[in-house]
Each structure stands twice: as C-alpha cells, then as structure tokens.
Amino acid sequence: MTAPGADLRVGPGVTIPAGELVERFSRSSGPGGQSVNTTDSRVELEYDVLGSTALTDAQRARVVGRMGSPVVVVASEHRSQHRNRVAARERLVDRLRTALAAPAPTRRPTKPTKGSQRRRLEAKKQRGRTKSMRGRVQGD
C-alpha cells in the first residue's frame, strides 16, 4: 500500500518522486448519501512520463509507446478521499509495472524434422489411395 504524499515505488530501481505526481480532486458520483454532494472524494492522478526524471530513456520510451504521456488514473470507488488516493496510486503502479515489463522474446521458427516430414507425406499418400478407391466400380 502506497501512502498519499510519499514517493511511489514502482519496481527495483524505479521510484517516482511525489513532486512528479499531480493529484486533482472532484466530486464523485455514486453512493455516499448527502456527503457526496459536498466532498471532493474523486481522485485523478496524473504522471507526466516525458518530463520524469525517475525513468531511463529506454524505460521512458517503452512507457510512452505503450501508454502515452501523460498517464492519468482515476479512482472514485470509495467514499473517502484518502482511500481513493491510495487506490489511484496502486492503480498507477500496476499500470507502470505492466508497461515497464520487458517484451517477450521473439519466437524463433523451427523446421520440422525429417521423420515428421516423411510421416506427413506418407499419411497424405495413404489418404489419397483411400479416396481413389471410392467412386464407381469399373467393370472388366
């Protein structure tokens, strides 16, 4: 759980300073009774990837390529502003971890073995012989 106002730890070697995060508060829709009309419990958390000093150039390019810049996360599912701030920070960390993950290695195609090629051709020939036996009976 990441406390509001503290630096945001995304992963090993990646910590976003609290000064690079912009929080905006507004009135949230949904349950909450009369207090929903008076409290600014909805949280919008914005992180400018291009202007960040926490990421290397390669990491910055990967995040911008996958998510764009700036990254905006909204949380309004809780009734309290504090819980929405925590939820928004956790959501931002999850999205950044996903974007920073190294791409999967590219698949190197392999050739079929000689035995499998031979078996495939033999099966095709057998199937052809079976089909050629179908049809009209030829008289002598």
Side-chain angles (χ1 to χ4, degrees):
M1 186 162 119
T2 57
D7 292 348
L8 205 58
R9 181 153 172 77
V10 177
V14 180
T15 302
I16 300 170
E20 293 184 6
L21 299 173
V22 177
E23 287 181 322
R24 282 187 290 278
F25 306 102
S26 61
R27 293 194 179 125
S28 175
S29 64
Q34 293 175 340
S35 68
V36 79
N37 299 325
T38 59
T39 60
D40 293 337
S41 60
R42 178 180 180 266
V43 177
E44 189 173 310
L45 186 62
E46 182 177 317
Y47 173 56
D48 181 23
V49 179
L50 293 176
S52 177
T53 59
L55 303 174
T56 64
D57 290 337
Q59 290 172 331
R60 190 174 297 116
R62 187 177 292 157
V63 172
V64 169
R66 292 182 179 176
M67 298 172 60
S69 180
V71 178
V72 179
V73 176
V74 177
S76 63
E77 63 268 12
H78 301 289
R79 289 174 65 169
S80 80
Q81 185 186 82
H82 176 76
R83 288 179 64 191
N84 281 331
R85 288 177 77 185
V86 171
R89 287 171 160 265
E90 288 175 354
R91 203 168 294 154
L92 179 64
V93 167
D94 288 342
R95 290 182 66 187
L96 287 175
R97 279 187 186 142
T98 304
L100 286 171
T106 55
R107 182 187 165 277
R108 245 183 13 193
T110 58
K111 291 183 179 179
T113 63
K114 294 281 187 189
S116 67
Q117 289 178 359
R118 185 177 32 77
R119 286 189 299 272
R120 183 178 61 86
L121 291 176
E122 200 51 50
K124 287 178 69 158
K125 287 177 191 172
Q126 179 61 38
R127 185 75 177 147
R129 285 193 291 266
T130 302
K131 287 188 170 190
S132 68
M133 297 298 286
R134 297 177 187 161
R136 297 192 181 266
V137 177
Q138 303 273 329
D140 292 310

